[in-house]
Amino acid sequence: MEKQVINTNNAPAPIGPYNQAILAGNTLYISGQIPLNAATNELVMDNIQAQTHQVMKNLRYILTEAGMNFGHVVKTSIFITDMNDFAQINAVYGEYFTSDFPARETVQVAALPKAVNVEISMIAVK
């Protein structure tokens, strides 16, 4: 199986020993993205909607680098620190997926990197 590292300067650089994404065959595995703006290297922490938009933008940049888009996504994992934010996160998420929705789980966690409130990872297939 061929394995290719996918990285783009448009999304945040990894903060540990991992890559933004790995393309294995026709399947793209995208590491969890947080609301970090790669252009400014600052966290977007205004509100949960702004945080979710930044996460989705980061994911789009990585998908684009791999020659894909949200239509290729088959699975997402959403990690949030407060389940009370679910409806707002879901509303923003729904702006990026309009049909043929991927499989998904949403899990509340005690904490996320850099004390953010949302992190999303994806799997996409060409």
Side-chain angles (χ1 to χ4, degrees):
M1 173 181 63
E2 183 180 328
K3 180 174 115 174
Q4 178 185 352
V5 172
I6 303 293
N7 281 315
T8 175
N9 291 332
N10 294 322
I15 56 175
Y18 63 92
N19 287 294
Q20 291 170 341
I22 297 292
L23 182 62
N26 290 329
T27 304
L28 181 69
Y29 299 90
I30 304 176
S31 297
Q33 295 297 302
I34 62 173
L36 184 64
N37 182 320
T40 64
N41 204 33
E42 293 182 7
L43 289 170
V44 174
M45 298 295 282
D46 302 338
N47 56 54
I48 196 63
Q49 295 96 335
Q51 290 178 57
T52 306
H53 275 295
Q54 185 62 55
V55 168
M56 296 302 288
K57 288 175 188 175
N58 292 342
L59 291 161
R60 182 182 337 168
Y61 293 138
I62 296 167
L63 285 164
T64 300
E65 184 70 20
M68 297 187 197
N69 58 48
F70 286 113
H72 292 99
V73 176
V74 296
K75 176 78 166 61
T76 62
S77 298
I78 302 176
F79 304 94
I80 59 178
T81 57
D82 186 350
M83 197 56 79
N84 291 317
D85 290 335
F86 176 77
Q88 295 171 332
I89 292 167
N90 199 47
V92 172
Y93 175 94
E95 293 178 28
Y96 295 84
F97 293 101
T98 56
S99 64
D100 296 327
F101 305 110
R104 180 183 85 180
E105 72 262 336
T106 303
V107 180
Q108 180 174 314
V109 296
L112 290 167
K114 297 189 176 277
V116 301
N117 299 309
V118 59
E119 178 176 355
I120 302 175
S121 64
M122 292 183 167
I123 300 171
V125 178
K126 277 190 179 182

